[in-house]
Amino acid sequence: FDDAVAAFEKAPPNITVEIQVIPFAEVAAQTQARLGAQDSSIDVIAVDPPKLPGMAEKGFFLDVSADKAAMDEELTAGGVSSVTWDDHQYGYPLWTSDNFLFYNKALLESAGIEAPGAASADRWTWEDTISAAQKAQAAGAQYGFAFEQVDAFYAMQPVIMSMGGGSGLKGDGNLTPDVASSGWTKFGAWYGDLYESGLSPRGIASAQMPDLFKSGSVAFYVAGPARITDLQKSDLKDGWGMAPLPYAAGGKAVTPTDSWAVAVSAYSEHQAAAQEFARYLSLDADGAESISTKFNLPPVNQKAYPKYIHYITGIAPDQTEQYGNLLTADSDENAQRRPSSIAYVDFETVVNKAFADIRNGGDSAALLEAAQADLERQLAQYQ
């Protein structure tokens, strides 16, 4: 946010912004704890949209529904929806997102694998992908396939839903867990086998995955657009390509969506100034363009979006030739939001741990059954 802050501070009404940086893994817990204690020193909060309902229900966020008309005019409908709970808006959306199948050109060439096409119509199945990954590994790649966001529901949900599972929550208010269905257990067995077979790296955290791919150790790699600049600045420059996120044979193509938003603390002593900054990041085309090109994530601000696409295609013209078209196709046809629920934090915590246990060799069916039972107990408090 540094560039956006610098530009914002130069313009009237001359507001100064102090950024507090928290390690990513601690953001949710620290935010919950500090707002739960009514800490007035936080003004603007970065928030993951599925967590917004639970935090809004606790009274943590300022209701900013007065800006709904401006949001509708400047932002995508999906972006506005991501910060809406009980017909009110409690934040300002910044970005949307997607995942892609990145690949190492040299490793595919060594294995005699024809690279997947870049257009939505060229989308591989997961069966195609794993078969090619196995071939690449047999030809010398250390790992055939890897997810960047290992064990994260955001990355796993599209695979689960393509395999016939649901979002994991259903019923009134999305308060009924559904993580032991046939689609979920099919995914669990598939996910566990990636690591049991050695096709994917066991014991490596998400933060280490980008470097593993850039080092040339992985043939196929699922990650988001935030990686594009990083890859092109690495030793792998022009040695990588990107294709649509695969889907399960016989199932539907499913892709992730939504990204971070900002909300104004209900306990802030500077709410008017905080709203000005939040509006700048989201509703102002220059502010939205600044943070989107800095972090490579697609803005939901419709005026900033074309500038963002132009910027990304300038970084890696060959690899991103279909990027804008693919983003549009995924957003319009394939995107599935994570479930909105006041219990989302409980849900994500339980299922992410189940995924981690499966990756580490646990019995997938038993772990998902245990997660189902655990969630039934935990979510009963919200009924």
Side-chain angles (χ1 to χ4, degrees), residues 179-180 184-193 195-196 202 350-351 353-372:
V179 301
W184 275 73
T185 54
K186 180 180 179 180
F187 164 78
W190 178 87
Y191 190 59
D193 188 59
Y195 302 95
E196 185 65 29
R202 181 180 280 171
V350 170
V351 298
K353 184 180 184 304
F355 297 150
D357 290 342
I358 291 169
R359 179 166 64 105
N360 289 324
D363 181 275
S364 60
L367 286 165
L368 291 173
E369 288 286 355
Q372 175 73 19

Side-chain angles (χ1 to χ4, degrees), residues 115-290:
S120 182
D122 301 323
R123 193 181 306 266
W124 277 10
T125 64
W126 282 116
E127 291 77 3
D128 294 332
T129 306
I130 299 307
S131 176
Q134 291 168 337
K135 188 175 180 181
Q137 190 174 42
Q142 183 177 3
Y143 299 106
F145 175 81
F147 285 103
E148 178 174 305
Q149 293 192 34
V150 292
D151 310 333
F153 180 68
Y154 170 83
M156 303 303 120
Q157 181 188 3
V159 190
I160 294 167
M161 297 189 76
S162 188
M163 290 183 175
S167 71
L169 291 173
K170 63 182 181 179
D172 188 26
N174 278 325
L175 292 174
T176 302
D178 183 28
V179 301
S181 66
S182 60
W184 275 73
T185 54
K186 180 180 179 180
F187 164 78
W190 178 87
Y191 190 59
D193 188 59
L194 292 177
Y195 302 95
E196 185 65 29
S197 67
L199 190 69
S200 295
R202 181 180 280 171
I204 297 181
S206 292
Q208 299 169 289
M209 296 306 297
D211 287 339
L212 193 69
F213 181 68
K214 288 186 292 184
S215 72
S217 299
V218 181
F220 292 97
Y221 174 60
V222 170
R227 286 290 148 245
I228 291 174
T229 299
D230 188 34
L231 285 171
Q232 199 61 354
K233 288 182 177 179
S234 74
D235 291 341
L236 202 59
K237 179 181 179 180
D238 291 329
W240 60 277
M242 59 188 292
L245 186 70
Y247 69 101
K252 298 187 299 183
V254 180
T255 56
T257 188
D258 292 343
S259 188
W260 290 79
V262 287
V264 175
S265 170
Y267 312 117
S268 167
E269 297 174 355
H270 310 284
Q271 288 183 352
Q275 269 194 279
E276 286 297 321
F277 182 54
R279 289 181 183 119
Y280 176 72
L281 297 175
S282 177
L283 299 175
D284 185 278
D286 290 337
E289 180 189 0
S290 173

